[in-house]
């Protein structure tokens, strides 16, 4: 009977995934209802497999597994290998990981107090940073529970997810804009909204209730409570900016909004990046209806509110501010405050590099990411100026990425030469 109930529940999950898939692909399948049948069946099979695996997995054992803790350490130290606290932790790695594992198994683990500092970029933000040993625990937890939640996220949620990010969100917005305006030949509007003090207002009890839909293991829930309870702006509210778990939990919390917008309001052109989201439509009446419905949902179900000055409806042809860019129909501009923010960060990195606090690889990664981001806007002259400044500050330096690319090119050239030599030999042995 228990097995039958499990299979029945899994079938329900599979059907829910099928309905979601059908809704998300309504445009592409409108002319041919059979075009995606194979993918739908695969989706049902994958959902069934995922449900059965989740029902029988020992999540706590996976969190505390030595190999998972070692993987968590490797993730936590990424881009921070030269930091003194990472070097100190690595010096006694086996001992430190064993101690963390023992504390987890005995449920005596207690996070250390957060280190808090103020960042002005230009908006003033309070950043709270966890101790490195706690960051290892965060990664160990997310390694195990992220696969449980990720399949349930909508496609158009772009923050802190693999193969997503700001660039993908901007591309998707431009795609939606072309669709809703019929390649800029028709008028259209955008509801652009922001949630007021989102990270400070996340309700711990509501978050845990949402996570309990997927997680039944009481020991894992105990660890989540320990992490969430290590910070609060009010009684039972708030998550620290800067933690991996905060970013992941933020997606879980607002996935409730995503599901409401997609499946209750049935908004077709919806994108969310953390607490910043937008909906495109040709009808102002429809967007006003969505605005009122979302406001009511946020207040009643998530204890959140719209930002009073950052939530509005406007024409897409007037330009839309989204993720640091102002996006017009045929061009994009990077906001001046983001340019200033880049220069501040660049000079900070340069000073840390001179003091040997960061490696050139970290500087190169930062520049590579910024260049990819600014390529989305009309920034040719800006990138040229920054390139000159970069070459002046770091003359003769070369990153590991550049070396690896060069080695790949050399290896590729060598294989081509070998192939050409082989072909020439065959032509000599077997002339026409």
């Amino acid at each position: 009977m228990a097995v039958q109930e499990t299979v029945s529940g899994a079938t329900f999950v599979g059907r829910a995934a099928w309905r979601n898939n059908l809704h998300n692909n309504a445009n592409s399948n409108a002319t041919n209802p059979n075009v995606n049948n194979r993918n739908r069946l695969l989706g049902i099979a994958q959902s069934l497999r995922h449900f059965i695996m989740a029902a029988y997995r020992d999540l706590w054992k996976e969190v505390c597994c030595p190999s998972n803790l070692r993987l968590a350490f490797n993730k936590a130290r990424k881009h921070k290998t030269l930091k003194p606290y990472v070097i100190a932790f690595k010096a006694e790695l086996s001992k430190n990981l064993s101690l963390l594992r023992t504390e987890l198994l005995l449920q005596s683990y207690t996070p250390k107090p957060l280190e808090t500092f103020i960042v002005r970029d230009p908006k003033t933000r309070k950043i709270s940073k966890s101790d490195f040993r706690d960051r290892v625990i965060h990664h160990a937890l997310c390694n195990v529970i992220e696969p449980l939640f990720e399949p349930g996220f909508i496609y158009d949620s772009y923050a802190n997810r693999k193969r997503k990010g700001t660039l993908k969100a901007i591309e998707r917005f431009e795609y939606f804009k072309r669709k809703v305006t019929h390649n800029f030949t028709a008028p259209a509007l955008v509801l652009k909204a922001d949630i007021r003090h989102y990270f400070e207002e996340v309700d711990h009890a509501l978050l845990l209730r949402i996570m309990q839909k997927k997680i039944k293991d009481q020991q894992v829930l105990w660890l989540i409570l320990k992490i969430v309870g290590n910070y609060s702006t009010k009684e039972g509210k708030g998550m620290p900016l800067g933690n991996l778990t905060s970013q992941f939990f933020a997606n879980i919390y607002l996935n409730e909004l995503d599901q409401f917008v997609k499946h209750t309001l049935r908004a077709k052109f919806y994108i969310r990046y953390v607490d910043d989201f937008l909906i495109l439509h040709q009808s102002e009446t429809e967007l006003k209806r969505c605005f009122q419905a979302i406001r009511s949902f946020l207040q009643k179900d998530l204890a959140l509110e719209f930002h009073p000055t950052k939530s509005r409806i406007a024409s897409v042809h007037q330009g839309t501010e989204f993720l640091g860019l102002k996006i017009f129909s045929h061009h994009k501009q990077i906001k001046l405050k983001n340019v200033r923010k880049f220069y501040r960060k660049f000079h900070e990195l340069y000073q840390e590099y001179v003091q040997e606090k960061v490696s050139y690889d970290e500087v190169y990664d930062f520049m590579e990411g910024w260049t990819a981001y600014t390529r989305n806007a009309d920034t040719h002259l800006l990138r040229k100026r920054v390139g000159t400044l970069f070459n002046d500050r770091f003359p003769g330096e070369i990153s590991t990425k550049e070396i690896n690319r060069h080695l790949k090119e050399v290896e590729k050239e060598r294989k081509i030469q070998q192939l050409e030599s082989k072909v020439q030999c065959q032509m000599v042995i077997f002339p026409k």
Side-chain angles (χ1 to χ4, degrees):
M1 178 64 73
V3 174
Q4 189 176 7
E5 287 175 357
T6 300
V7 173
S8 175
T11 305
F12 172 77
V13 173
R15 286 175 182 164
W18 176 82
R19 287 199 301 270
N20 183 44
N21 191 43
L22 176 63
H23 178 65
N24 287 342
N25 293 286
N27 280 345
S28 58
N29 297 342
T31 55
N32 183 359
N34 298 318
V35 70
N36 204 29
N37 281 345
R38 182 172 177 273
N39 288 340
R40 290 176 194 155
L41 291 173
L42 284 173
I44 293 171
Q46 287 170 354
S47 296
L48 175 64
R49 177 174 173 269
H50 169 75
F51 184 87
I52 294 173
M53 284 180 65
Y56 292 101
R57 284 171 60 186
D58 187 340
L59 298 181
W60 185 241
K61 185 177 179 181
E62 290 180 33
V63 170
C64 301
C65 176
S67 60
N68 182 49
L69 290 172
R70 184 169 286 272
L71 174 62
F73 163 73
N74 288 331
K75 288 184 175 182
R77 71 168 181 166
K78 191 174 182 182
H79 302 309
K80 298 177 180 66
T81 52
L82 296 181
K83 298 288 185 181
Y85 56 80
V86 177
I87 295 170
F89 193 93
K90 188 181 178 184
E92 296 185 310
L93 182 60
S94 296
K95 177 184 174 182
N96 287 326
L97 293 182
S98 178
L99 180 60
L100 282 177
R101 183 168 186 266
T102 301
E103 289 179 15
L104 289 175
L105 291 172
L106 295 177
Q107 293 191 15
S108 61
Y109 165 73
T110 301
K112 292 189 176 182
L114 299 167
E115 179 187 345
T116 301
F117 51 94
I118 303 298
V119 173
R120 294 177 176 85
D121 61 346
K123 185 165 68 174
T124 301
R125 295 176 186 270
K126 185 171 78 169
I127 307 296
S128 298
K129 186 170 67 172
S130 293
D131 189 83
F132 183 72
R133 72 192 301 272
D134 296 324
R135 280 180 259 169
V136 174
I137 295 294
H138 297 172
H139 279 280
L141 175 66
C142 289
N143 286 346
V144 174
I145 68 172
E146 185 179 354
L148 300 179
F149 290 93
E150 177 65 29
F153 293 157
I154 66 166
Y155 181 86
D156 289 311
S157 167
Y158 286 90
N160 309 306
R161 296 176 66 194
K162 294 175 183 177
R163 294 176 292 278
K164 298 291 183 177
T166 54
L167 304 184
K168 294 289 185 182
I170 291 167
E171 289 173 4
R172 187 68 163 173
F173 172 69
E174 293 194 297
Y175 169 74
F176 280 171
K177 193 164 64 169
R178 287 193 298 272
K179 293 282 286 184
V180 77
T181 61
H182 303 293
N183 284 330
F184 310 113
T185 61
L189 300 159
V190 58
L191 164 59
K192 172 77 167 50
D194 187 280
I195 295 172
R196 183 176 179 271
H197 299 158
Y198 173 51
F199 279 87
E200 296 177 15
E201 295 294 333
V202 169
D203 187 286
H204 296 177
L206 281 175
L207 173 64
L208 193 68
R209 198 180 308 154
I210 292 167
M211 297 188 77
Q212 283 176 320
K213 295 176 185 178
K214 296 279 187 181
I215 299 173
K216 307 300 180 185
D217 191 311
Q218 293 303 311
Q219 293 166 305
V220 174
L221 292 170
W222 165 82
L223 180 57
I224 292 169
L225 267 177
K226 277 285 184 182
I227 294 170
V228 172
N230 196 39
Y231 177 91
S232 63
T233 52
K234 304 173 186 176
E235 185 64 33
K237 286 197 171 189
M239 295 192 301
L241 282 170
N243 275 0
L244 169 72
T245 47
S246 297
Q247 297 166 4
F248 179 54
F249 294 164
N251 269 344
I252 293 173
Y253 202 75
L254 280 186
N255 183 54
E256 300 295 301
L257 171 65
D258 297 340
Q259 302 301 329
F260 174 75
V261 172
K262 293 298 289 184
H263 300 297
T264 302
L265 300 183
R266 304 189 71 82
K268 202 171 183 181
F269 303 112
Y270 167 78
I271 299 172
R272 182 178 64 81
Y273 190 94
V274 194
D275 60 339
D276 196 5
F277 64 90
L278 48 82
I279 303 173
L280 293 93
H281 204 279
Q282 291 183 334
S283 168
E284 184 176 4
T285 303
E286 177 62 19
L287 288 181
K288 285 181 177 178
R289 181 186 74 87
C290 289
F291 182 86
Q292 295 299 333
I294 292 171
R295 182 164 63 181
S296 176
F297 177 83
L298 288 174
Q299 290 173 346
K300 292 178 181 177
D301 292 66
L302 297 178
L304 299 171
E305 292 181 354
F306 276 134
H307 194 289
T309 61
K310 295 183 179 178
S311 304
R312 59 189 176 276
I313 297 172
S315 169
V316 296
H317 299 291
Q318 293 175 355
T320 306
E321 291 188 1
F322 187 48
L323 302 180
L325 300 181
K326 186 152 189 180
I327 306 170
F328 296 90
S329 297
H330 300 290
H331 73 284
K332 297 182 286 293
Q333 296 174 347
I334 188 167
K335 293 163 76 172
L336 187 58
K337 69 176 185 179
N338 283 9
V339 176
R340 294 196 191 105
K341 179 180 175 181
F342 162 76
Y343 278 115
R344 278 197 300 273
K345 179 65 175 176
F346 178 82
H347 291 305
E348 286 171 11
L349 271 178
Y350 176 67
Q351 292 301 323
E352 289 181 347
Y353 170 77
V354 170
Q355 297 167 16
E356 298 185 350
K357 292 182 178 179
V358 300
S359 66
Y360 178 73
D361 281 355
E362 292 173 75
V363 178
Y364 185 84
D365 286 345
F366 167 73
M367 286 299 301
E368 189 177 46
W370 184 83
T371 303
Y373 169 70
T374 53
R375 275 203 187 104
N376 281 274
D378 302 310
T379 55
H380 174 73
L381 292 178
L382 174 63
R383 284 185 281 120
K384 191 175 180 179
R385 286 197 300 270
V386 169
T388 302
L389 176 64
F390 182 76
N391 291 330
D392 289 342
R393 290 283 192 275
F394 303 96
E397 290 285 5
I398 187 165
S399 69
T400 305
K401 279 186 178 179
E402 291 171 293
I403 293 171
N404 290 338
R405 285 195 201 109
H406 175 70
L407 292 176
K408 284 181 181 179
E409 288 297 322
V410 170
E411 181 65 17
K412 184 179 178 181
E413 187 64 31
R414 187 183 64 80
K415 288 182 178 180
I416 291 172
Q417 289 177 356
Q418 285 181 345
L419 184 60
E420 288 176 346
S421 298
K422 187 176 180 180
V423 171
Q424 288 174 358
C425 288
Q426 288 176 344
M427 291 176 66
V428 172
I429 297 170
F430 304 105
K432 290 184 180 179

